[in-house]
Amino acid sequence: MLTCRAVWKKLAPLARASSTVCRQNVRRAGWNNARTPLCVPVAHMSTGPVGGGSDNLKYALLVGASFVGGLTYAVITLKGDQKRHVERMAEISSRKQKSASQIQTEPAAPLETKLEAAAAPDAEAAAPSETAEPPPAADSKPSLPSHAPYLLIGGGTASFAAARSIRARDPDAKVLIVTDEPDLPYMRPPLSKELWFSDDPSVTETLRFKQWNGKERSIYFQPPSFYVDAEELSGAENGGVAVLTGRKVVHMDVRGNKVKLDDDMEISYDKCLIATGGVPRNLQVIERAGEEVMKRTTVFRKIDDFKSLDKVSRNAQSITIIGGGFLGSELACALGRRSTESGLEVIQMFPEKGNMGKVLPEYLSNWTTEKVKKEGVKVIREAVVKSVSYKDDKLEIKLKDGRVVRTDHIVAAVGLEPNVDLAKSAGLEVDSDFGGYRVNAELQARSNIWVAGDAACFYDIRLGRRRVEHHDHAVVSGRLAGENMTGANKPYWHQSMFWSDLGPDVGYEAIGIVDSSLPTVGVFAKATAKDTPKAATEESGTGIRSESETEDTASSAVAPAAPAPVVSHRDEYGKGVIFYLREKVVVGIILWNVFNRMPIARKIIKDGEEHVDLNEVAKLFNIHED
């Protein structure tokens, strides 16, 4: 009955329309024949006016066509309704089956519950909606933000400095940091310095250490409570900084202002910072040596590397460090001190003639090598690795000059490769000489993309294009990038510094281009008890020296009036200043056991003047005041 009524509702308008058309045609035909029909009976409307036989045929065809069209439409409609009815019933049936299967997969209910359910079947029938919809998944994840006004790729020092700078200038800013590491942003220098001198047996878990000044702190910049949950960032009323850990950006769409993560999630952005840092290099002879060698090799960079090497050092009999730079020498001294207590054999080998041979002048490099030896390290100079193999539960390192070294574990400290994996998808330029993303003086790679830290190849307005791999540069470049992301438009003119400590007694700070191939002038003096990294941090109150000195300026440096004797190339170098020259202009300075004088060194390089007598310039550092 319902179906017939529906058909009639659809056919009735067609019938009325055709009837109306017929009556209008009849009247029109009468007017055309100069006669007006007296009556047009409804029942005989198809007969037309008297004497119009041809017109009657037209009317009959029109009515017939209307009838056939209406009938066809009705048939099609009925078939469509029937098809939709079948699909709807199938959907309802499948939904019931799905609900039933979900009920079956639930844990078996107690016997009392089953009996109660069996005793009340009508109650279930009265409320079918309670089981019609599947229950929410217990392991459903909260939605992550699909858009971030400020997106920072990388979770290192540069990213954290940028986030802090952005929030300082834009208090309501929403900043999202994406890092492939499992940890919140942390400082890397203690991983090869203070953490190794901790007396706490649980230091690998707490990651807290005592600075040379005796104060304790964590390697993390901020505790977890400082950050906003990534899922809540979009709705945070006052903004905040969120960190998405364990995720890697694998593709960057510069035109679409969005990135894709390794789980195919996409995040759009307004402004983006690339601070992906670098990847520690390894020797090709080690990479080609096979799985057994690789399992016994550490490339040192992250927290997990520190934990792993600490465990190895407590169980192995011998560890060999390949590399004579900052990292290799720091680790050698740290492990060397531990060897005096545990009997661990620590070997350091490098192709140069002495420790830090690419940075320090030869006489100072040789002195540093002797210092490292006194820490309990066996140093092998001018060592070029030819091959590495695993034999009789030992690693066998063959050198090109025929020497062979057997050891339990290898630490490869042979430099850093800037991480430029996003360059291809983003269409960003990579510098062919220095590596890293090529940026302008404002650290911009595109109008809304900045680069900071180890991955940035920037233009130094005083020293030309450079790429720097040190903590202070990460702090300063990240801070500047954050300011420019909020509209500051400042050029990068700051001369970043770096420092290295060979334990608590010997340390140095450097700035500019410090290359042992350049001519140098060294001015030294006798050291006192306060001329050590430990004493310097006790005086300044900070263990990460760049965080305090970068805010200072050297606007009123005054040299002492007393003449300063020059100590050149003697056996003991207690403290001093080494100037690096290029075309008679100072382009780099090392302060050897001289601390809290970096603003003066920065000003000398910034001025870019020729100096007739560098002994007079050395007076500015007051190395003879004691």
Side-chain angles (χ1 to χ4, degrees):
M1 183 65 184
L2 293 175
T3 304
C4 295
R5 184 178 300 173
V7 173
W8 169 248
K9 287 182 179 180
K10 295 178 179 179
L11 291 179
L14 294 174
R16 285 194 293 269
S18 61
S19 176
T20 303
V21 171
C22 291
R23 282 198 294 269
Q24 290 176 352
N25 288 337
V26 169
R27 293 191 185 97
R28 193 178 295 110
W31 290 333
N32 292 338
N33 293 326
R35 68 174 76 142
T36 303
L38 297 176
C39 178
V40 183
V42 175
H44 304 284
M45 64 182 176
S46 61
T47 59
V50 180
S54 61
D55 290 338
N56 289 339
L57 181 60
K58 294 178 181 179
Y59 301 148
L61 292 174
L62 178 61
V63 172
S66 300
F67 178 79
V68 173
L71 183 61
T72 303
Y73 179 83
V75 172
I76 295 174
T77 302
L78 287 174
K79 288 185 177 180
D81 289 343
Q82 185 178 8
K83 182 178 179 181
R84 285 190 291 272
H85 174 73
V86 172
E87 293 175 350
R88 179 61 176 167
M89 293 302 295
E91 180 183 356
I92 294 174
S93 177
S94 63
R95 185 180 302 173
K96 290 181 178 180
Q97 293 176 0
K98 182 177 181 181
S99 300
S101 64
Q102 290 176 349
I103 294 173
Q104 291 176 1
T105 58
E106 292 180 355
L111 180 60
E112 294 80 4
T113 305
K114 292 182 179 179
L115 293 175
E116 291 175 2
D122 294 338
E124 292 182 2
S129 60
E130 294 181 2
T131 58
E133 294 296 331
D139 58 346
S140 59
K141 297 180 180 179
S143 59
L144 295 172
S146 59
H147 177 77
Y150 296 95
L151 177 64
L152 313 184
I153 305 175
T157 300
S159 272
F160 180 79
R164 189 164 52 185
S165 179
I166 291 170
R167 291 278 296 168
R169 291 175 54 87
D170 184 0
D172 296 328
K174 297 177 181 180
V175 183
L176 177 62
I177 299 175
V178 180
T179 172
D180 59 354
E181 293 193 52
D183 304 289
L184 295 174
Y186 62 91
M187 60 187 77
R188 299 191 192 275
L191 295 179
S192 60
K193 295 181 175 70
E194 294 93 340
L195 283 176
W196 290 98
F197 296 90
S198 174
D199 297 327
D200 184 2
S202 62
V203 65
T204 55
E205 301 301 326
T206 64
L207 296 176
R208 298 187 64 83
F209 62 96
K210 286 186 178 180
Q211 304 169 106
W212 302 141
N213 60 4
K215 295 182 180 179
E216 186 178 270
R217 67 170 299 174
S218 169
I219 70 168
Y220 293 102
F221 289 112
Q222 291 290 346
S225 59
F226 170 82
Y227 302 96
V228 177
D229 290 340
E231 296 83 359
E232 301 175 359
L233 180 63
S234 299
E237 182 178 355
N238 298 322
V241 180
V243 182
L244 194 58
T245 59
R247 302 289 186 88
K248 184 178 181 180
V249 176
V250 296
H251 186 274
M252 192 169 186
D253 181 1
V254 174
R255 292 186 177 181
N257 291 335
K258 60 183 179 180
V259 300
K260 183 167 72 172
L261 307 185
D262 51 3
D263 60 354
D264 290 334
M265 177 184 175
E266 290 188 346
I267 301 176
S268 59
Y269 60 84
D270 296 331
K271 298 179 180 180
C272 179
L273 172 70
I274 300 176
T276 48
V279 180
R281 293 191 185 102
N282 199 350
L283 296 178
Q284 291 186 0
V285 293
I286 294 178
E287 293 177 340
R288 295 195 300 259
E291 183 180 355
E292 292 297 329
V293 173
M294 288 294 294
K295 285 195 308 184
R296 293 164 174 81
T297 301
T298 297
V299 285
F300 199 88
R301 175 70 173 172
K302 303 177 181 179
I303 289 177
D304 288 343
D305 301 326
F306 164 71
K307 293 181 177 180
S308 174
L309 186 58
D310 177 79
K311 183 178 180 180
V312 169
S313 68
R314 298 182 187 278
N315 297 287
Q317 296 178 347
S318 172
I319 294 179
T320 297
I321 301 167
I322 301 178
F326 308 108
L327 178 61
S329 299
E330 289 171 359
L331 289 176
C333 287
L335 292 173
R337 285 209 170 187
R338 180 172 292 185
S339 69
T340 58
E341 302 174 359
S342 62
L344 173 69
E345 180 187 34
V346 180
I347 303 170
Q348 185 186 17
M349 59 173 61
F350 42 79
E352 296 81 25
K353 294 182 179 180
N355 286 77
M356 267 109 46
K358 293 183 178 180
V359 175
L360 301 178
E362 185 175 351
Y363 64 90
L364 198 54
S365 174
N366 293 335
W367 184 91
T368 304
T369 301
E370 295 303 317
K371 169 65 178 175
V372 173
K373 287 181 179 180
K374 292 179 181 179
E375 296 292 336
V377 180
K378 178 182 178 181
V379 178
I380 303 177
R381 313 182 193 207
E382 299 180 274
V384 179
V385 179
K386 181 180 180 180
S387 66
V388 181
S389 59
Y390 180 67
K391 295 180 180 179
D392 301 327
D393 294 331
K394 289 283 186 178
L395 295 175
E396 189 173 271
I397 306 172
K398 291 184 178 180
L399 305 181
K400 286 191 174 181
D401 59 6
R403 288 177 290 180
V404 177
V405 176
R406 291 177 59 82
T407 187
D408 294 321
H409 197 84
I410 292 176
V411 179
V414 291
L416 193 73
E417 192 71 29
N419 186 346
V420 292
D421 291 346
L422 295 175
K424 185 175 181 180
S425 63
L428 301 179
E429 183 181 2
V430 176
D431 190 88
S432 58
D433 296 326
F434 301 99
Y437 296 97
R438 196 177 177 94
V439 296
N440 61 15
E442 288 75 29
L443 302 181
Q444 276 183 303
R446 291 288 187 274
S447 59
N448 64 337
I449 299 176
W450 289 258
V451 186
D454 299 343
C457 181
F458 62 98
Y459 182 76
D460 189 316
I461 59 176
R462 177 59 59 189
L463 303 177
R465 189 158 291 278
R466 304 175 64 199
R467 190 178 67 82
V468 180
E469 299 175 357
H470 295 293
H471 177 85
D472 183 63
H473 168 68
V475 172
V476 177
S477 63
R479 181 191 303 153
L480 178 65
E483 291 179 359
N484 288 342
M485 291 173 78
T486 56
N489 295 321
K490 294 181 180 179
Y492 187 76
W493 61 266
H494 177 84
Q495 287 296 328
S496 61
M497 57 86 70
F498 64 91
W499 79 99
S500 181
D501 297 333
L502 304 179
D505 300 325
V506 177
Y508 61 88
E509 299 175 352
I511 189 172
I513 299 176
V514 286
D515 187 337
S516 60
S517 64
L518 295 174
T520 62
V521 174
V523 182
F524 292 88
K526 184 178 179 180
T528 65
K530 70 176 184 178
D531 297 318
T532 64
K534 181 178 181 179
T537 53
E538 287 175 350
E539 181 180 351
S540 65
T542 177
I544 305 300
R545 295 194 287 274
S546 66
E547 290 185 349
S548 60
E549 64 84 26
T550 50
E551 303 299 332
D552 297 334
T553 58
S555 57
S556 60
V558 179
V566 178
V567 182
S568 60
H569 300 197
R570 68 184 204 182
D571 293 338
E572 289 295 332
Y573 304 99
K575 64 178 180 179
V577 182
I578 302 98
F579 299 97
Y580 291 75
L581 307 176
R582 188 168 62 188
E583 297 178 357
K584 299 181 180 181
V585 175
V586 177
V587 295
I589 297 175
I590 284 183
L591 303 180
W592 187 263
N593 270 347
V594 175
F595 306 100
N596 303 318
R597 301 286 194 278
M598 191 51 67
I600 302 173
R602 180 174 288 113
K603 186 176 187 304
I604 292 172
I605 294 178
K606 183 180 179 181
D607 291 343
E609 300 175 355
E610 291 188 19
H611 298 277
V612 177
D613 189 357
L614 289 174
N615 297 323
E616 293 296 319
V617 179
K619 294 178 182 179
L620 296 173
F621 297 93
N622 299 328
I623 62 174
H624 303 285
E625 63 182 354
D626 297 323

